[in-house]
Amino acid sequence: MTALSPDVLGDVRTRDGGPPPAGILHLGLGSFHRAHQAVYTDTALDAAGGDWGIVGVSSRSSHIVDAMRAQSLLYTVVEISPEGSAFRVPRAHSDVFVGALDRDRVRSEIASAQIRVVTLTVTENGYTYRPSTGRLDLDDPGVQHDLADPAEPRTVIGQLARGLQLRASTHASPVTILSCDNLAENGSHTERLVREFAAALPAPEERELSLFLDSHVTFPSSMVDRIVPATTDYYRRLVTDSLGYVDSVPVPAEPFTMWVMEDRFAAGRPQWESAGATFSEEVAGYEQLKMRLLNGTHSLIAYLGALAGCRTIPDAVSKDFIEASARTVLREEYLPSVTVPRGVDVGEYEAQLFVRWSNSALGHRTSQVGTDGSVKLRQRIPEPAIELLGQGRMPHHLALTVAAYLTCIAPLGGFDPGPDAALMQDAARPLLRSLADASSTGRQLAHQALVEHHLLGEALTPFDGFVDRVGELVDILHSDGPLAASRDAARSDLTLHTLENGGTP
Ligand code: CS2
């Protein structure tokens, strides 16, 4: 069987010509980027042309880089819905390489005059900041390395700062840094971290970089949305059976896709609107809507689902009690803290989310959404929880989300949370496990994790009532299971419970 190359594409939609000339450097060559930004860029190149090809950097793994190189930088996006599959082969990449094998190249690409936009999908984990303060983690060994050695930066923030320094000292042309990660105000967050890195440099270097940032660099915020499950052999076979070629790195994705960003580009941009991207002043509202209603509720579905023995999100959301908990957390506990952007109908948004989550053909795993909860939940839970607690209301379903997370990652005394929970990866697992081993009740575990170790940052720690409620639900999950815990959360009176337990500090 022939490998994917421009010659075997037959009827599959693609653009003619070789790889486009580069204009974008992208850090984080994962599936999400390849099913999202690369597809928008491919359409924009079709519609308006321009030197906007993407140089894709994989941080450490050579798997995708090797495979894309062997396939003329092509791969197949497989759009999966219960009605069937649609295929597309974007031709958006100009080159790909592994950052860890060529650190100097990352820096020189950021400094290259040809590159006018640097985009990032490096996950919540990739920004080397302290979640409790939101500030750059100056104790991180990678950050320390990058502060000491300008030539071969290892961390994303170090790469940006060192690359921009080189740019400032060579041709000093403007550039845009565009974060596409699920972080609140991702543009200003990235800018703050780069400026904190600059502030830790010797004074003359600090001055030069800060002046360059002030005058030549913009950091627009963006909201990205498309459910992209990890690829599997099933998708490889589907591509071969349907299209007659072998693609070793196809990307499955749902049909839905959305991208909203601020239109603050220092040196131009592709015509992404021709692919349906929205340029808006209300990105913060879109981010909140997505990170709370979609991502926050997704976490609850994943953890309750895994505890109920569901391998996939559609399996989980098809259980009545999980659907009911998801609807309550979304409407009653996330929505009140969201500034809904003009023109968005929340009822329709919710209905669409449940259709997306129910896409059984996609097979999105609970273990994938449940991975990295210790970083994801900090982005999703504290602010909405504190807002309700401040009004004297107990967010039982946010507490249930944290309780289900703890039960999956750090079960108490020999409890088995099941195979899907075991597959969830989380850097905090060893710490949480040791806390669980030293705790005999959910309340102790919740107190240790949330108050002593600031699992969700410092702002939530004074809310004893919330921490106790998490602990109670951990115990119910252990003794009676997810259905009972979900019923307990639903039964509890929204106001009374709080005040009895001293929910406000
Ligand atoms: C999910 C997201 O894994 C997760 O935490 O909530 O990856 C979600 O599928 C995407 O943000 C959808 O755009």
Side-chain angles (χ1 to χ4, degrees), residues 32 36 124 182 223-229 254 256 258 290-291 294-299 302-303 313 356-357 364-372 376 380:
F32 182 77
H36 190 266
E124 294 90 333
N182 280 329
M223 186 285 296
V224 293
D225 192 2
R226 187 169 207 188
I227 294 176
V228 181
E254 65 171 339
F256 180 93
M258 190 171 180
K290 196 254 171 173
M291 283 180 35
L294 191 166
N295 297 122
T297 308
H298 222 182
S299 295
Y303 296 121
I313 296 290
R356 295 172 63 194
W357 288 328
H364 198 197
R365 303 280 289 258
T366 47
S367 56
Q368 184 177 349
V369 179
T371 282
D372 285 339
K376 290 175 179 174
R380 303 176 184 186

